[in-house]
Amino acid sequence: MGVAPGSKAERKAALDAGAWMFNVVTSVGIIMVNKALMATHGFSFATTLTGLHFVTTTLMTSVMKWLGYIQPSYLPLPELVKFVFFANLSIVGMNVSLMWNSVGFYQIAKLCIIPVLCFLEILFDKVRYSRDTKLSIMLVLVGVAVCTVTDVSVNSQGLIAAIIAVWSTALQQHYVHHLQRKYSLGSFNLLGHTAPAQAASLLIFGPFVDLWLTDKRVDTFDYTMVVTFFIVLSCIIAVGTNLSQFICIGRFTAVSFQVLGHMKTILVLTLGFFFFGKEGLNLHVALGMTIAVIGMIWYGNASSKPGGKERQVYIPISEKIQKHGILSSQSELDQKV
């Protein structure tokens, strides 16, 4: 009997590692493919491309429903609309932020997602972090900042875009965890509900958003064989990226998913030096990577210890009502910003 708990824990650890590796491989893959598409071949229609990603994801969830891998499940329409609003605002916000800000400030903005997520978890989920967990998160942020932030120039419109991008991304990721718990939805179930809505909305509004951002029309682009191949490849990998994000947030929490996400940043940098030459690799980049990796190992240890990251279980009904009130007023705030 004594063997069972150990083997169960080992199995969970193996599945966690598998889920995260799946996320890393698909995310890094899609970054490389999209870089080739946008930088080399001039296909700069990021919002429309994301819409196509969700079309292929919808096709996959439909096939899985048809094969019986996805059981019918329920997600109320208001919840779906709220989720799609945050998710699409996050996608457009990040694209706009990257365009209006320097890469350095864009990276700093992305680092701000973790503190915002911690705040949301403390506010809504009554999560408590130990001092070590807080310090380890700070160490990760410092490390990633040291190696990715080079030029930090800020302008007012870029700052507004970054604030909207950060808040909507944090709310969307927190919401994934919240919906999976509240309606006991698996990753496939949730994707089955959200992907069609995101595909439709992004394909309708995407071309107009891209026209506003790039002054180019998606329908007049010269689609060569190579570009079409990269778009299809990007869509296939995106199915994995979308699925793995939901699997990871379901298995971990949104904050842990973000900390692991910075591991991907380090990995992308390392692979970049590995494949594209050493010119960007200098002492402060190596130092930043080292600090971040130490921080991640520390976070892993600190958050898994008893009291490292605890959820208070009791949530009265009145608080649940307030919770939705806060969320909707937050989205109104975001819209006003």
Side-chain angles (χ1 to χ4, degrees), residues 188-261:
F188 285 109
N189 293 99
L190 192 53
L191 257 187
H193 289 292
T194 59
Q198 282 193 261
S201 51
L202 285 170
L203 281 187
I204 292 165
F205 298 113
F208 298 105
V209 173
D210 288 333
L211 178 64
W212 168 57
L213 289 176
T214 62
D215 281 334
K216 290 181 196 146
R217 280 174 52 177
V218 71
D219 56 324
T220 56
F221 187 79
D222 177 29
Y223 292 93
T224 59
M225 278 293 289
V226 181
V227 170
T228 312
F229 168 74
F230 272 124
I231 290 172
V232 171
L233 186 62
S234 179
C235 287
I236 292 166
I237 300 173
V239 173
T241 312
N242 289 334
L243 179 61
S244 67
Q245 183 194 354
F246 282 35
I247 292 173
C248 284
I249 294 177
R251 292 192 73 83
F252 317 121
T253 62
V255 172
S256 299
F257 177 67
Q258 277 292 326
V259 173
L260 289 170

Side-chain angles (χ1 to χ4, degrees), residues 136 140 259 263 290-303:
S136 66
V140 172
V259 173
M263 195 66 161
T290 313
I291 294 170
V293 171
I294 292 167
M296 282 164 204
I297 295 164
W298 187 14
Y299 173 80
N301 287 329
S303 62

